[in-house]
Amino acid sequence: MGKSFASFGFRPEVMQGIEDLFYKEPTPIQEEAIPYILEGKDVIGQAQTGTGKTAAFVLPILQKLQLDKRDIQALILTPTRELSIQIAQEIEKLGKHLEVNVLSLHGGTDIERQLSKLKHTVHIVVGTPGRVLDHIKRGSLHFGRISTLVLDEADKMLEMGFLDEVEQIIVSTPQHRQVLLFSATMPDLVKKLAQRFMDQPPHIRIETKQKTVEIIEQLYYVINQSDKTDALVDLLESVNPYLAIIFANTQQRVQQLTARLQESGFAAQALYGDLSQNKREQLMKQFRDIKFQYLVATDIAARGLDVEGVTHVINYDLPNDVESYIHRVGRTGRAGQKGTAISFCSPRQKSLIARFAKATKAKIEEKIFVPGRHLDAGRKERAKEREEYFVKLREEKQKEEKREKAKKDAPLREALKKSAKVKPGYKKKLAKEMEEWKTQYEQKRRREEAKAARKKTAKTAVKKSR
Ligand code: AMP
């Protein structure tokens, strides 16, 4: 039995917030990190989303918050606007009984509205590095009095190219503030950042395998590329997941797949990077409220998404790297609930699955897909289409051969035509010859007639003289 939340000595309002969310006991990252953070130490927490890392830094921040002060007391930097909004919401929920004022500053929303909110007391700011720096440069934000700075998903933030912005923001904070850095991985850039700005932080590591092995069932089906959409429709019909996130690798594939699912009568919506901020937020709210069941998304759009009750994650397209796989799979099995991760993999992608299994130290079991009516019908349809295609191809080929032959014979035909060509004036000549010939014929005929007549007359004269 681990520690209880009460053992941290949280104030009653914070304990009430924890109770409201039905958190029974601290998760491993909370158990290890919270005491250090409460002591005021800098801390590196190496943990994925889904481990309860947000509450691990939010609870101590709330504990130390001085509500009577008008200054911003904590700044939390996150890589994406979704994550920023999500963290702000979690702070609002956990800090409800403290009446904490939190502001999410992220791109894609009206900067004027954010500015007007900043005129009121704001205790905690959560934001993306670009937008936060924007406010610092405008002079609308000052972090001169903050006591805690959190760099959440630091690896992602630097991977997205925010190093410059993050450094500029850090130097705008007081020298003796506490820095908390959370990151799923610790690449060199993150280590260097920690070395430069953190003071002997303890490094807490929470292994992902604890989570994935124990509560997420992982399996895959070997499916041909052309069968995938029908197979997915069959799968959803047979499994009927309560709430699922379906990953495809490009925006276009997300859109096409969503359209197909909608056509087949499923409550599905598409989430991808190009959607407006408003639309994305609206979609996420509807998904959380279970207004639709299937969220079809690209990786970037779903980064950091935390939706309770996601029973299934489906990799319609396999991700290309281990990190994305872990991230996707981690969208289910949240807060200790069971989840299932299903991947579609082509025969050639089996080695990728083996890599994911090795990296997550989990068993990803191969299951045999039982085709349903859609896949069967789809295959028949595709076989018919293929046959029609080949018939057309054969016809095209025959036509082509004919054209080729005609092309080959063309010089010969041309030569024949030339030799048979009527010379200019030949028709006239022919007519003249015909005329002459007719005259000759006529003359000859008349001569013959005259001769015959003469003969006849001579015979009659002989007879008379007798
Ligand atoms: P995170 O890793 O911060 O993205 O959190 C993952 C999920 O776990 C969120 O839905 C939190 O609300 C939930 N959570 C955080 N701490 C606890 C806890 N001690 N017990 C149960 N759920 C928790």
Side-chain angles (χ1 to χ4, degrees):
M1 181 74 188
K3 274 191 182 157
S4 67
F5 279 114
S7 71
F8 297 129
F10 286 140
R11 58 219 266 187
E13 295 90 339
V14 173
M15 287 305 287
Q16 191 58 51
I18 294 170
E19 256 172 56
D20 287 354
L21 294 187
F22 304 104
Y23 296 174
K24 297 272 175 299
E25 55 184 42
T27 63
I29 184 85
Q30 292 163 1
E31 195 176 317
E32 290 193 50
I34 289 174
Y36 286 124
I37 304 176
L38 286 174
E39 268 179 47
K41 282 205 159 77
D42 286 357
V43 173
I44 294 177
Q46 197 175 336
Q48 305 277 346
T49 50
T51 51
K53 67 176 171 65
T54 313
F57 60 78
V58 168
L59 291 171
I61 289 175
L62 291 175
Q63 174 66 17
K64 291 194 254 176
L65 212 61
Q66 291 175 288
L67 292 157
D68 49 335
K69 284 202 176 161
R70 287 184 54 90
D71 305 314
I72 298 168
Q73 296 167 49
L75 168 64
I76 300 158
L77 292 180
T78 72
T80 64
R81 40 194 176 184
E82 276 78 16
L83 195 54
S84 178
I85 294 166
Q86 206 168 282
I87 293 173
Q89 285 168 347
E90 191 149 347
I91 296 173
E92 264 167 8
K93 283 189 216 157
L94 285 169
K96 187 177 153 205
H97 301 281
L98 289 168
E99 292 179 16
V100 58
N101 285 329
V102 52
L103 178 62
S104 172
L105 293 180
H106 49 267
T109 50
D110 185 4
I111 207 156
E112 295 302 325
R113 255 180 51 203
Q114 293 179 340
L115 282 173
S116 76
K117 281 192 186 167
L118 280 170
K119 293 202 177 102
H120 304 106
T121 303
V122 174
H123 300 114
I124 304 172
V125 168
V126 194
T128 50
R131 183 53 69 95
V132 169
L133 192 63
D134 217 15
H135 278 286
I136 293 176
K137 285 183 176 162
R138 280 166 176 257
S140 45
L141 263 187
H142 302 280
F143 295 116
R145 302 246 168 87
I146 64 157
S147 44
T148 307
L149 169 66
V150 182
L151 307 174
D152 192 28
E153 301 211 352
D155 52 351
K156 274 289 145 270
M157 230 158 17
L158 301 196
E159 197 183 293
M160 287 166 80
F162 282 133
L163 179 63
D164 261 4
E165 286 86 343
V166 170
E167 283 183 345
Q168 287 184 58
I169 295 167
I170 297 177
V171 294
S172 78
T173 61
Q175 222 186 341
H176 296 294
R177 75 289 180 248
Q178 176 183 39
V179 181
L180 309 175
L181 183 147
F182 286 83
S183 198
T185 57
M186 287 300 286
D188 280 349
L189 265 187
V190 176
K191 280 187 198 145
K192 275 187 198 144
L193 192 75
Q195 271 161 13
R196 266 190 74 192
F197 297 107
M198 295 175 80
D199 181 20
Q200 300 178 358
H203 187 149
I204 299 165
R205 247 187 230 97
I206 299 298
E207 297 283 334
T208 321
K209 74 168 188 194
Q210 284 178 346
K211 183 184 169 227
T212 52
V213 170
E214 284 166 16
I215 54 174
I216 301 176
E217 182 196 6
Q218 298 179 70
L219 56 101
Y220 72 97
Y221 296 109
V222 178
I223 310 250
N224 286 326
Q225 182 67 23
S226 56
D227 286 344
K228 282 204 307 197
T229 312
D230 290 317
L232 179 66
V233 175
D234 279 343
L235 183 82
L236 296 184
E237 273 188 1
S238 69
V239 176
N240 194 11
Y242 177 64
L243 213 58
I245 303 183
I246 300 162
F247 285 97
N249 284 354
T250 64
Q251 188 154 313
Q252 199 190 19
R253 288 173 72 76
V254 162
Q255 286 167 320
Q256 284 168 347
L257 185 59
T258 311
R260 171 67 204 277
L261 293 182
Q262 287 171 347
E263 262 169 39
S264 306
F266 294 107
Q269 294 293 336
L271 182 77
Y272 47 86
D274 273 2
L275 287 180
S276 73
Q277 177 63 20
N278 252 349
K279 182 73 190 161
R280 281 158 80 163
E281 278 171 36
Q282 194 189 336
L283 274 178
M284 285 318 301
K285 185 171 178 335
Q286 287 173 348
F287 190 50
R288 283 198 181 91
D289 296 345
I290 321 179
K291 293 268 165 37
F292 62 92
Q293 271 179 294
Y294 305 121
L295 183 73
V296 188
T298 54
D299 277 304
I300 190 77
R303 182 150 290 287
L305 279 191
D306 179 23
V307 178
E308 244 174 74
V310 172
T311 52
H312 292 73
V313 161
I314 299 172
N315 288 316
Y316 171 80
D317 290 328
L318 269 194
N320 297 318
D321 57 283
V322 172
E323 244 214 77
S324 302
Y325 181 81
I326 294 174
H327 173 261
R328 288 182 182 187
V329 167
R331 300 309 90 206
T332 183
R334 315 287 289 172
Q337 292 170 346
K338 278 209 181 316
T340 306
I342 300 171
S343 298
F344 284 178
C345 127
S346 73
R348 280 198 289 173
Q349 286 175 317
K350 274 181 135 183
S351 59
L352 206 53
I353 291 276
R355 245 175 54 207
F356 297 157
K358 203 171 158 207
T360 54
K361 300 195 178 76
K363 188 167 163 44
I364 310 179
E365 203 184 335
E366 176 170 353
K367 293 247 169 116
I368 304 300
F369 193 81
V370 185
R373 61 192 178 114
H374 293 280
L375 184 50
D376 274 344
R379 276 179 180 158
K380 267 190 208 135
E381 181 67 24
R382 281 191 292 281
K384 206 175 125 211
E385 273 170 16
R386 267 200 304 277
E387 183 53 33
E388 280 167 7
Y389 171 73
F390 284 124
V391 166
K392 225 167 132 193
L393 206 68
R394 273 199 294 275
E395 282 172 6
E396 281 296 318
K397 209 172 157 207
Q398 279 168 0
K399 271 189 203 157
E400 183 61 22
E401 278 170 6
K402 252 186 177 171
R403 273 198 295 271
E404 280 296 312
K405 192 165 179 300
K407 224 161 129 188
K408 228 169 93 193
D409 291 349
L412 186 67
R413 262 203 325 273
E414 202 56 30
L416 278 173
K417 233 203 257 165
K418 260 189 199 158
S419 71
K421 217 173 189 178
V422 180
K423 284 177 191 149
Y426 182 74
K427 265 192 186 166
K428 240 180 186 174
K429 194 179 158 208
L430 205 69
K432 207 170 144 199
E433 275 175 6
M434 281 287 280
E435 209 48 47
E436 274 171 15
W437 186 76
K438 259 196 214 162
T439 321
Q440 279 172 16
Y441 174 83
E442 203 52 32
Q443 283 171 353
K444 195 177 167 194
R445 192 183 57 82
R446 272 194 234 121
R447 267 201 310 272
E448 294 290 320
E449 267 179 13
K451 210 171 152 186
R454 273 199 306 274
K455 260 189 188 172
K456 205 175 161 187
T457 335
K459 263 187 195 170
T460 326
V462 171
K463 263 185 196 170
K464 274 187 185 170
S465 66
R466 275 185 194 160

